[in-house]
Amino acid sequence: MEKKDYLDLYYQMVLIRLVEEEAAVLYQQGKIGGFLHLYIGQEAVSTGLVAARKPQDRVITAYRDHGVAINCGISANEVLAELLGKVTGCSKGKGGSMHMADVTKNFWGGHAIVGAHLPIAAGLALGDQYAKNDGVTICMFGDGATNIGYFHEALNLSKVWKLPVLWVVENNQYGMGTAVDRASAVSEMRQKAEGYGMINARVDGMDVLAVKQAAAEALDYIRSGNGPYFLEAMTYRFRGHSMGDPERYRKQDEVKKWQENDPIGIYRSHLMTEGIATDAELDVLDDKAAEETRLAVQFAESSPEPAPEALWENVYVEN
Amino acid sequence: MEKKDYLDLYYQMVLIRLVEEEAAVLYQQGKIGGFLHLYIGQEAVSTGLVAARKPQDRVITAYRDHGVAINCGISANEVLAELLGKVTGCSKGKGGSMHMADVTKNFWGGHAIVGAHLPIAAGLALGDQYAKNDGVTICMFGDGATNIGYFHEALNLSKVWKLPVLWVVENNQYGMGTAVDRASAVSEMRQKAEGYGMINARVDGMDVLAVKQAAAEALDYIRSGNGPYFLEAMTYRFRGHSMGDPERYRKQDEVKKWQENDPIGIYRSHLMTEGIATDAELDVLDDKAAEETRLAVQFAESSPEPAPEALWENVYVEN
Amino acid sequence: MARITMREAISQALWEEMERDPSVFILGEEVGVWGVTYAVTKGFYDHFGADRVRDTPIAESAIIGAAIGAALTGQRPVAELMTINFAFSAMDHIVNEAAKLHYMFGGQMVLPLVIRAVGGGGRQLGATHSQTPDAIFAHFPGLKVVAPGTPADAKGLMKASIRSQDPILFIEHATLYQVRGEVQDGDYTVPLGKSTIQRPGRDVTIVTYSKMLEISTKAADELAKEGIEVEIVDLRSLRPLDMQPVIESFKKTNRAVIVEEGWRSFGVGAEVASRIYEEAFDYVDAPIQRVAQKEVPLPYNRVLEQSALPQVADVIKAVKEVV
Amino acid sequence: MARITMREAISQALWEEMERDPSVFILGEEVGVWGVTYAVTKGFYDHFGADRVRDTPIAESAIIGAAIGAALTGQRPVAELMTINFAFSAMDHIVNEAAKLHYMFGGQMVLPLVIRAVGGGGRQLGATHSQTPDAIFAHFPGLKVVAPGTPADAKGLMKASIRSQDPILFIEHATLYQVRGEVQDGDYTVPLGKSTIQRPGRDVTIVTYSKMLEISTKAADELAKEGIEVEIVDLRSLRPLDMQPVIESFKKTNRAVIVEEGWRSFGVGAEVASRIYEEAFDYVDAPIQRVAQKEVPLPYNRVLEQSALPQVADVIKAVKEVV
Ligand SMILES: Cc1ncc(C[n+]2csc(CCOP(=O)(O)OP(=O)(O)O)c2C)c(N)n1
Ligand SMILES: Cc1ncc(C[n+]2csc(CCOP(=O)(O)OP(=O)(O)O)c2C)c(N)n1
Ligand SMILES: [Mg+2]
Ligand SMILES: [Mg+2]
């Protein structure tokens, strides 16, 4: 890994953080509607995963999708424009926070029905297997999603058909207000993979380099034709499930404890102690990200609303 | 176990066998419509299971339900009458082969959507847990049913809530024409229980006493408040999936091999070698079962059709 | 009499029924510790305990399946689907199991089951989270479908639903929770499967239910200023569908507009209009109008979404078409 | 021209499209080794191989979800649901994913997907296995719903569906498979979303589709003997719903009977009747009649089941009501 690669990971995480903090403000101002699920605290997971992928590797996730959207190359402009429902958004303002995608960047969304995107991910992998491409599909989902039937059907099918898919559970220890042990028969998500005889591993989701490393190994394994792989990333969301979450279900000191474990802070000090970058260099990146975010807000706010006719577009390809 | 108990198990298995052989004939004669799934070859599983239950234990299964219906105490009369769609059938002729039940005997059916009865079984167990009864729900299903989402949601819920339910997979090695390994990520169904951290065991489903023993242990474990238990019974269906199955998917000698392993034959010789019963005594039971079956066919054939108004009955309790 | 919100009305009904009958319990996602996304069962967990207010995994088939099973044993579960959009993740258990077990087994299985589902659009939740698919559930005999439009009906219908022996899908509209209305004190029920006149009038009959009762009422207020007296019939239940008040009103006004939030094609309006023509053909003076959602998946953008949902202006326009 | 069965027609369409386009493949339960419960893809496995004729686990959500994903990558999967009753086990993927992805992401996702589903009652399969819930799928914008009534249409519509860029639910009626009809030789398609006149007549318009086309035709033959000339319009697709031939016919006959196999309430007839009244109100001479399934879960008993399904006599009776 070259220095610029190290710095790029840092920049991505900072940009995600700042864009989402802006999003929170815009939501409070009533400029963003619907649900807004912030990824703050989990940035190292998607950043590490996407850093390990090849261009032909597809990425698909749930509704907590702003971070991975940016990692996949969707601009802060398009992300914020989508949040504001503008025609310049990555989904033309029709999808919103939960439905961001850019298939030209091999990012397949942004899906709001818990677990429903897992069978679709299996299908993306089936498409590549059928076409004899060597792409791998990286499918991210939450701990809560492992309890729904879609998870089971998708994992079983992927193993039976040896589909090239990397299953990544982001175990942030809660599904909305429900702690893992109150909803799941097992506390370690990776144990579920045993029921499918599927190779699995667990990684510290607050350590972006560890995630990248684990993902790279998993992707090699899958790309070599060994079938699916199950990766559990231990992480934590610093904010509520979505905006307006009373957070009655967890103690403030638990949240504090984790916030001290900030993936960006951890990575920043790592870069410095390892002598990869200086404080000053990183400050420059912070400022750059702040500026990009500021301009993105401007872009989003000044972008036009979709035309009224847009309502009738894209219901079908062929009318 | 007293001698009469041994003989009773034998009698039940023979009766199931003869009733189903008659059913096959009636189907060929066009007197039975719809699908007819015969249990022939698997009799030892339900017979052993039900022999181990207490009256307060509920039983629920899939559409291959004639055998367990008889084990639960539904008469051959009511079973054959139901197959002929008569008002004297256990479901008044409205359910047919796939939907037999008698809740007064704690037999809760007979369900035709693969796997859909597993969440319902969890609910039956929840009802007992909520009411603080010490009943256990015995839920039977096939190997193919372990691949559908309902299985996953039900097993996970039962473990999280420590529900008093005994999950019994009848592994007859095929789901219709699909061999276990072509549909399931793992060949041993019991391994799926590991994904839920659920205690599990495997038993020879052709040995009625082994099944009864395994079930008794499992029921004790559950009744003591330890939560669900997963039991895999290895068995084989001697006939096609349902009437009119071309059986292109399995070799005749495989079928032969298993037929030599007939659960009734095995048990009969066991009773004799152990000196529990004589050839003559067992012949008497065979004749008795044959006679009961003959009379049941007469009963069913001579029973009346439901009245036309029955069409409108039981849509709702309160109209 | 007290003026309370729809949220309070439903909450009271659940609370009072749980106090009255120990066999009533609640299960669903976030109904307990969190107190529900829509705060309807806020406080229940602390009062009734984890046994009667059960947080479930995210597993809709298990939620409904477990509720069916518990109901079969004689308990009275109230299963909550966080939104009706997730009913599709439990579809088989709702339409193939709950709706059929009683009939299919010749009446021996009884399911006193209530499935609460929050529905409706208009909150920029996007296409998968904004649906009003009420009509498709009403298509299945064996299931009863209830959808109140006022706090008073919500409370009475919820109590009737919980006391019923039949499986009921109880649809609540998310944007009605904060709507206030007069609710009589004490215990009362509103009969299932009975439509009612919510507003008397002589010129036109508007047939509607749930959220669209509010929209229709606003339209009626506007029209009254122009001297057009609208009579509003609230269906309250979609199955059984009680046409009697509709027909009586129509025979008086000879004109009807049906207002529903869901998509027009194969929706509620189609059924109601067809029945009016079948049962009161000779009284029809003008083509019956349907006001419904534009036939697109609902977009996120606020302006677009609102342009797809039935508005007061659409109702007024439709009424003027028929008078 | 050849006289072949509906089964052969659909089988030919699938076979020819698979020969023509390598991106077309089949997945579903028992489609391969077994050759399908209804033998439509018998022989395909041996000819096209396990890669293109894929037996799946019993996991309907995975079948449809996987088909959606593969379609997104540019393949053209034909996913088979052994019966439409199992579509409820994949409901979310059909109505929330397949029907919405193209719209929700602003058009960037394209799903050339065909979901085959065998439907219909009348074979004593009991309440959970005998449904004709076509109308509820037609309620969802974004999905196209096709249901042919003749071998010729079945072949042409299947080819058009496979070549389409949109997600399509293709409903086949189990008791139509052995029905024979003239099918032109060679490659041809029948346009999606186009209704057609299957039988010309001047006195009454019967609007129907799928299995009920057969029943309606028998009724028409009987009525012809009494000098009543029935014109039969076959919808062929339920969404988009092409009313033009219906309206044209109705403006000529001024009388209509709608015949569907599914339940009456919130069914296909309600939508078609409502649209006729909306689009040809001044041409209505008599109340439009609906012939449909009695509103009960279908019982197993043959006599009871048949008494619940629309029969030739019911159609004749309805026609006589309107003439
Ligand atoms: C099928 C379905 N049920 C319920 C919901 C409501 N819901 C949205 S997010 C969520 C929690 C998911 O938790 P998890 O999978 O752990 O993801 P996280 O939010 O922690 O990232 C729930 C219950 C939904 N969107 N879809
Ligand atoms: C949800 C659903 N999908 C498909 C079917 C059709 N089907 C009926 S039985 C069966 C095979 C089930 O196999 P298994 O669970 O092993 O039970 P067995 O028949 O071997 O006893 C299938 C696919 C169904 N009834 N329900
Ligand atoms: Mg989580
Ligand atoms: Mg099997």
Side-chain angles (χ1 to χ4, degrees), chain C residues 14-20 24 26 43-53:
Chain C
L14 290 166
W15 184 283
E16 290 168 18
E17 290 305 295
M18 285 180 78
E19 289 285 7
R20 187 187 58 78
V24 179
I26 294 172
F44 281 50
Y45 184 83
D46 298 336
H47 181 76
F48 294 105
D51 221 45
R52 298 187 66 191
V53 185

Coordinates of all heavy atoms in Angstrom, one line a residue, chain C residues 14-20 24 26 43-53:
Chain C
L14 N -55.8 -1.0 23.6 CA -54.9 -2.1 23.9 C -54.7 -2.2 25.4 O -54.8 -3.3 26.0 CB -53.6 -1.8 23.2 CG -53.6 -1.9 21.7 CD1 -52.3 -1.3 21.1 CD2 -53.7 -3.4 21.3
W15 N -54.5 -1.1 26.1 CA -54.2 -1.1 27.5 C -55.4 -1.7 28.3 O -55.2 -2.6 29.1 CB -53.9 0.3 28.0 CG -53.5 0.5 29.4 CD1 -54.3 0.4 30.5 CD2 -52.2 0.6 29.9 NE1 -53.6 0.6 31.6 CE2 -52.3 0.7 31.3 CE3 -50.9 0.8 29.3 CZ2 -51.1 0.9 32.1 CZ3 -49.8 1.0 30.1 CH2 -49.9 1.0 31.5
E16 N -56.6 -1.2 28.0 CA -57.8 -1.6 28.7 C -58.1 -3.1 28.5 O -58.4 -3.8 29.4 CB -59.0 -0.8 28.3 CG -58.9 0.7 28.8 CD -59.9 1.6 28.2 OE1 -60.9 1.1 27.6 OE2 -59.7 2.8 28.3
E17 N -57.9 -3.5 27.2 CA -58.1 -5.0 26.9 C -57.1 -5.9 27.6 O -57.4 -6.9 28.1 CB -58.1 -5.2 25.4 CG -59.3 -4.6 24.7 CD -60.6 -5.1 25.3 OE1 -60.9 -6.3 25.2 OE2 -61.4 -4.3 25.8
M18 N -55.9 -5.4 27.7 CA -54.8 -6.2 28.4 C -55.1 -6.2 29.9 O -54.9 -7.2 30.6 CB -53.4 -5.6 28.1 CG -52.9 -5.9 26.8 SD -51.3 -5.3 26.4 CE -50.3 -6.5 27.3
E19 N -55.7 -5.1 30.4 CA -56.0 -5.1 31.9 C -57.2 -6.1 32.1 O -57.3 -6.8 33.1 CB -56.4 -3.7 32.3 CG -55.3 -2.7 32.4 CD -54.4 -3.0 33.6 OE1 -54.6 -4.0 34.3 OE2 -53.5 -2.1 33.9
R20 N -58.1 -6.1 31.1 CA -59.4 -6.9 31.3 C -59.1 -8.4 31.1 O -59.7 -9.2 31.8 CB -60.4 -6.4 30.2 CG -61.8 -7.0 30.3 CD -62.6 -6.6 29.2 NE -62.1 -7.0 27.9 CZ -62.1 -8.2 27.4 NH1 -62.7 -9.2 28.1 NH2 -61.6 -8.5 26.2
V24 N -54.6 -11.6 26.5 CA -54.2 -10.7 25.5 C -52.7 -10.3 25.7 O -52.4 -9.9 26.8 CB -55.1 -9.4 25.5 CG1 -54.6 -8.4 24.5 CG2 -56.5 -9.7 25.3
I26 N -49.0 -8.7 23.5 CA -48.5 -8.0 22.3 C -47.2 -8.6 21.9 O -46.3 -8.9 22.7 CB -48.4 -6.5 22.6 CG1 -49.8 -5.9 22.8 CG2 -47.6 -5.8 21.4 CD1 -49.7 -4.4 23.3
G43 N -44.8 2.7 27.3 CA -45.2 2.5 28.7 C -45.8 1.1 29.0 O -45.8 0.7 30.1
F44 N -46.2 0.4 27.9 CA -46.7 -0.9 28.2 C -45.7 -1.9 28.7 O -46.1 -2.7 29.6 CB -47.3 -1.5 26.8 CG -48.6 -1.0 26.4 CD1 -48.8 0.4 26.4 CD2 -49.6 -1.8 26.0 CE1 -50.1 0.9 26.0 CE2 -50.8 -1.3 25.6 CZ -51.1 0.0 25.6
Y45 N -44.5 -1.9 28.2 CA -43.5 -2.8 28.7 C -43.3 -2.7 30.2 O -43.2 -3.7 30.9 CB -42.2 -2.5 27.9 CG -41.1 -3.5 28.1 CD1 -41.0 -4.7 27.5 CD2 -40.0 -3.2 29.0 CE1 -39.9 -5.6 27.7 CE2 -39.0 -4.0 29.3 CZ -38.9 -5.2 28.6 OH -37.9 -6.1 28.8
D46 N -43.1 -1.5 30.7 CA -42.9 -1.3 32.1 C -44.1 -1.8 32.9 O -43.9 -2.3 34.0 CB -42.6 0.2 32.4 CG -41.3 0.7 31.7 OD1 -40.5 -0.2 31.4 OD2 -41.2 1.9 31.4
H47 N -45.3 -1.5 32.4 CA -46.5 -1.9 33.2 C -46.8 -3.4 33.1 O -47.1 -4.0 34.1 CB -47.7 -1.1 32.7 CG -48.9 -1.3 33.5 ND1 -49.2 -0.8 34.7 CD2 -50.0 -2.1 33.2 CE1 -50.3 -1.3 35.2 NE2 -50.9 -2.0 34.2
F48 N -46.8 -3.9 31.9 CA -47.3 -5.3 31.7 C -46.1 -6.3 31.7 O -46.4 -7.5 31.9 CB -48.1 -5.4 30.4 CG -49.4 -4.7 30.4 CD1 -49.5 -3.5 29.7 CD2 -50.5 -5.2 31.1 CE1 -50.7 -2.8 29.7 CE2 -51.7 -4.5 31.2 CZ -51.8 -3.3 30.5
G49 N -44.9 -5.9 31.5 CA -43.8 -6.8 31.6 C -43.4 -7.4 30.3 O -44.2 -7.4 29.3
A50 N -42.3 -8.0 30.3 CA -41.7 -8.6 29.0 C -42.5 -9.8 28.5 O -42.4 -10.1 27.3 CB -40.2 -9.0 29.3
D51 N -43.3 -10.4 29.4 CA -44.0 -11.6 29.0 C -45.2 -11.2 28.1 O -45.6 -12.0 27.2 CB -44.5 -12.3 30.3 CG -44.4 -13.8 30.1 OD1 -43.3 -14.2 29.7 OD2 -45.4 -14.5 30.5
R52 N -45.8 -10.1 28.4 CA -47.0 -9.7 27.7 C -46.7 -8.6 26.6 O -47.6 -8.2 25.9 CB -48.1 -9.2 28.7 CG -48.5 -10.3 29.6 CD -49.7 -9.9 30.5 NE -50.9 -9.7 29.7 CZ -52.0 -9.1 30.2 NH1 -52.0 -8.7 31.4 NH2 -53.0 -9.0 29.4
V53 N -45.5 -8.1 26.6 CA -45.2 -7.1 25.6 C -43.8 -7.6 25.1 O -42.8 -7.3 25.6 CB -45.0 -5.7 26.2 CG1 -44.8 -4.7 25.1 CG2 -46.3 -5.3 26.9

